[in-house]
Amino acid sequence: MAENIWDKSRLPSRHVTVGPERAPHRSYYYAMGMTEEEIAQPLVGVATCWNEAAPCNIALSRQAQSVKTGVKEGRGTPREFTTITVTDGIAMGHQGMKSSLASRDAIADTVELTIRGHCYDALVGLAGCDKSLPGMMMAMLRLNVPSVFMYGGSILPGRFKDRDVTVVDVFEAVGQHAAGNMSDEDLHALECVACPSAGACGGQFTANTMATVSEAIGLALPGSAGAPAPYEERDRWAVESGKAVMELLRRNIRPRDIVTLKALENAAVVVGATGGSTNAGLHLPAIAHEAGIRFTLDDVAAIMRRTPYIADLKPGGKYVALDVHRVGGIPVIIKALLDAGLLHGDCLTVTGRTLAENHADVVFPTDQDVIHPVSRAITPTGGVVGLKGNLAPEGAIVKVAGMKSQRFEGTALCFDCEEDAFKAVDQRAYKAGDVIVIRYEGPKGGPGMREMLSTTAAIYGQGMGEAVALITDGRFSGATRGFCVGHVGPEAAVGGPIALLRDGDPIVIDAEKGSIDVLISEDEMARRKAAWTPRGTDYNSGALWKYAQMVGPAHLGAVTHPGGAAETHSYPDL
């Protein structure tokens, strides 16, 4: 038997492995084939969102086996478990989408409960889909055991008529088909080739945005997020992630040592620089909340506004995640921003070194146009900006990357759910100059704050993407493009101004000024508010009812519990 180098007197697993009173507990471990040596070592949770729901998650089980190899090499005992995922691409455009954001918090909750219940000492979390990435990172901050995050990798681009395509092309093709501009045969041919492998959607949509965040915020090994899911290179990163968490355990470096306010600011910078998903304005505040740090939509938006946009990525640009990987991966983006003094280089990371130290030897490639140096930024300000005004006193958010005009003036066309809006779009029951309003889709009012990709993609497929705007108290997919404003708060369900809009109300959205206003007098809005009454939903029991009772406003991350600031103890110190 190898010598046991671990002192468990301060590790959580002592509660289930040490002393004569834990003989019943150890008997369970023997039942699973574990040896005395393995029981005596630290127990490391290897959590994945593996399932057969979608390609985003299907490769995670394979990668988890490699993580376990790394943990074993580091003299730890891996214990694999899984949690849920709701995959937006399949949940999109119907009532199933109400489960998406709620799944983020369920992931964090179930990982927390598994780690707490079994007294694991450390955590490696693997995730592949939009809400599973922030959900897993939230669990790490909540538990505050030594942790390493690893992205499951992006999907490879498909090829259709000699061009790269993604699932977004299929969503937009639905609009083209409805407008009579695409045949049944071409639509079918496109759907068959758009997603040719395992992995998450390939543009700088929410999954790849949060994967970029994982490296910039310091929770993932530098370079680990880049390789597509099918590449065997991911398995090497998985082994290294398993070894890294054991080193963190030796040194007692915890997630809250890494995810500081400055690290969160770094995360917001990379979102702005890459034209990332507006959902980062929801997830970064939620991650901060777990650590007891106040970091709101306003904070995220202010940072992204002043950040130059340097990565020419879909949906606003030309390239996909595979192209970023080919030119050196996320470390090249981070290096460009570090060299320009736009990141806090002194932030600690899971390597035990700082962000600047990790990227000291990265050489920026000059023979490519996927990632621009800051001196030749695509635009001088970030790809995502915040808005405020009398229509959104708590704020709203819009992705401006790739937009030709950043000001829109039009009149409201109101819908109280996404289905009604999509039906109107599908039937072309709207016109140029409309501001399509989709309300009662917020965190409480949905419940669940649905994304609206089916509707926005149909509009683009009909060739009307530049002619209309869309605002909602729900969300937009990271794959959405155009003048689409999400996270409008307060939401309609609590009587926010968006609930008081009527068809024909004049609305002005100015992304350059950061404003969103309805041109109606305060007296008129007050009269409408006095006449407004709350609406019920069809979700009066079950998980979504429970979510609606607990969830807070979008500008604070739509969180469901008091967060790290309310703690009286930290799990690993019990």
Side-chain angles (χ1 to χ4, degrees):
M1 180 186 297
E3 179 187 0
N4 180 27
I5 62 172
W6 297 98
D7 174 11
K8 282 202 169 185
S9 63
R10 291 190 174 275
L11 293 181
S13 64
R14 72 185 186 276
H15 296 299
V16 294
T17 62
V18 176
E21 69 276 15
R22 301 310 180 200
H25 306 67
R26 290 191 295 271
S27 72
Y28 273 41
Y29 291 123
Y30 293 132
M32 293 183 283
M34 289 172 62
T35 65
E36 289 188 27
E37 179 185 356
E38 289 171 329
I39 295 170
Q41 293 177 157
L43 304 183
V44 179
V46 178
T48 77
C49 300
W50 177 87
N51 59 36
E52 293 182 333
C56 339
N57 316 300
I58 204 75
L60 296 178
S61 180
R62 181 197 93 220
Q63 295 174 32
Q65 309 319 306
S66 295
V67 170
K68 290 160 70 175
T69 297
V71 170
K72 291 175 183 177
E73 289 181 13
R75 304 287 294 275
T77 301
R79 307 312 297 157
E80 183 181 357
F81 65 96
T82 61
T83 183
I84 68 161
T85 308
V86 173
T87 298
D88 291 0
I90 291 176
M92 194 73 67
H94 54 87
Q95 292 286 307
M97 192 66 202
K98 294 179 185 290
S99 299
S100 172
L101 184 58
S103 76
R104 181 195 72 178
D105 297 78
I107 289 165
D109 291 349
T110 51
V111 172
E112 177 197 0
L113 292 173
T114 301
I115 296 287
R116 281 186 180 273
H118 302 96
C119 297
Y120 293 159
D121 302 311
L123 170 64
V124 181
L126 297 90
C129 198
D130 293 5
K131 305 311 167 298
S132 62
L133 278 80
M136 195 66 74
M137 287 185 260
M138 287 164 65
M140 292 174 176
L141 270 298
R142 187 184 302 179
L143 289 159
N144 204 31
V145 290
S147 301
V148 175
F149 177 85
M150 191 176 123
Y151 180 40
S154 66
I155 201 169
L156 295 171
R159 293 288 293 177
F160 180 72
K161 295 189 174 181
D162 297 322
R163 64 185 178 95
D164 283 350
V165 293
T166 71
V167 70
V168 177
D169 294 278
V170 188
F171 274 103
E172 294 187 1
V174 172
Q176 295 169 16
H177 180 267
N181 297 324
M182 177 176 274
S183 67
D184 292 346
E185 293 76 18
D186 275 357
L187 179 60
H188 179 68
L190 174 60
E191 73 179 67
C192 291
V193 299
C195 299
S197 74
C201 301
Q204 196 67 347
F205 314 147
T206 305
N208 280 311
T209 296
M210 296 310 297
T212 306
V213 162
S214 73
E215 289 196 28
I217 209 169
L219 287 174
L221 293 176
S224 64
Y231 284 22
E232 291 185 2
E233 181 183 347
R234 296 218 60 77
D235 299 285
R236 175 176 65 83
W237 283 113
V239 172
E240 293 303 316
S241 295
K243 291 162 67 174
V245 82
M246 297 309 299
E247 184 60 25
L248 292 174
L249 192 57
R250 286 185 182 89
R251 298 174 63 179
N252 195 30
I253 296 175
R254 299 179 180 182
R256 295 185 195 178
D257 300 322
I258 294 168
V259 180
T260 60
L261 179 59
K262 291 201 297 186
L264 289 157
E265 291 172 348
N266 286 346
V269 167
V270 298
V271 175
T274 60
S277 169
T278 56
N279 280 311
L282 198 67
H283 300 323
L284 292 180
I287 291 169
H289 180 75
E290 300 291 351
I293 300 170
R294 184 176 175 85
F295 191 64
T296 70
L297 175 62
D298 286 349
D299 299 316
V300 176
I303 291 166
M304 293 191 294
R305 173 174 288 278
R306 64 176 183 256
T307 301
Y309 170 44
I310 65 170
D312 194 9
L313 301 175
K314 289 178 179 289
K318 294 186 293 186
Y319 295 108
V320 295
L322 176 61
D323 299 305
V324 176
H325 178 62
R326 284 171 172 162
V327 302
I330 293 165
V332 172
I333 297 170
I334 292 175
K335 178 67 170 178
L337 296 167
L338 280 167
D339 287 349
L342 297 175
L343 294 175
H344 302 290
D346 58 345
C347 289
L348 184 65
T349 74
V350 290
T351 65
R353 301 186 299 274
T354 66
L355 192 71
E357 289 169 341
N358 288 343
H359 295 84
D361 297 329
V362 175
V363 177
F364 188 92
T366 57
D367 58 344
Q368 52 82 35
D369 64 348
V370 181
I371 303 163
H372 296 224
V374 171
S375 60
R376 292 191 290 104
I378 300 168
T379 59
T381 56
V384 182
V385 299
L387 308 172
K388 272 196 171 180
N390 69 359
L391 189 46
E394 291 179 353
I397 196 165
V398 61
K399 180 185 284 194
V400 297
M403 281 173 47
K404 295 177 182 177
S405 172
Q406 295 195 15
R407 188 178 191 279
F408 193 95
E409 186 169 350
T411 54
L413 179 63
C414 300
F415 301 95
D416 288 346
C417 66
E418 186 196 8
E419 284 85 355
D420 290 349
F422 181 82
K423 182 178 179 181
V425 169
D426 192 49
Q427 295 176 354
R428 306 296 292 266
Y430 68 102
K431 64 184 185 303
D434 280 342
V435 178
I436 298 172
V437 178
I438 308 177
R439 58 194 176 190
Y440 294 100
E441 292 286 7
K444 287 184 177 294
M449 205 177 181
R450 282 195 287 185
E451 290 180 352
M452 311 291 174
L453 179 59
S454 292
T455 303
T456 60
I459 289 170
Y460 256 87
Q462 293 172 2
M464 293 288 285
E466 306 290 336
V468 299
L470 221 136
I471 67 172
T472 182
D473 52 5
R475 300 179 292 125
F476 290 114
S477 165
T480 289
R481 57 192 177 120
F483 225 133
C484 299
V485 179
H487 305 196
V488 171
E491 62 173 292
V494 298
I498 192 172
L500 311 179
L501 292 176
R502 296 176 182 172
D503 289 351
D505 285 347
I507 293 172
V508 178
I509 310 165
D510 194 322
E512 290 185 358
K513 293 181 179 178
S515 62
I516 178 169
D517 294 290
V518 55
L519 305 184
I520 298 293
S521 71
E522 291 184 12
D523 288 345
E524 173 60 18
M525 292 296 279
R527 282 192 290 271
R528 295 183 187 183
K529 181 63 181 287
W532 176 83
T533 55
R535 293 165 51 96
T537 78
D538 290 333
Y539 294 87
N540 297 308
S541 66
L544 288 174
W545 175 86
K546 190 183 336 183
Y547 179 82
Q549 311 313 305
M550 297 186 297
V551 70
H555 74 287
L556 299 179
V559 294
T560 57
H561 69 110
E567 288 179 357
T568 57
H569 76 275
S570 179
Y571 156 72
D573 297 327
L574 282 175

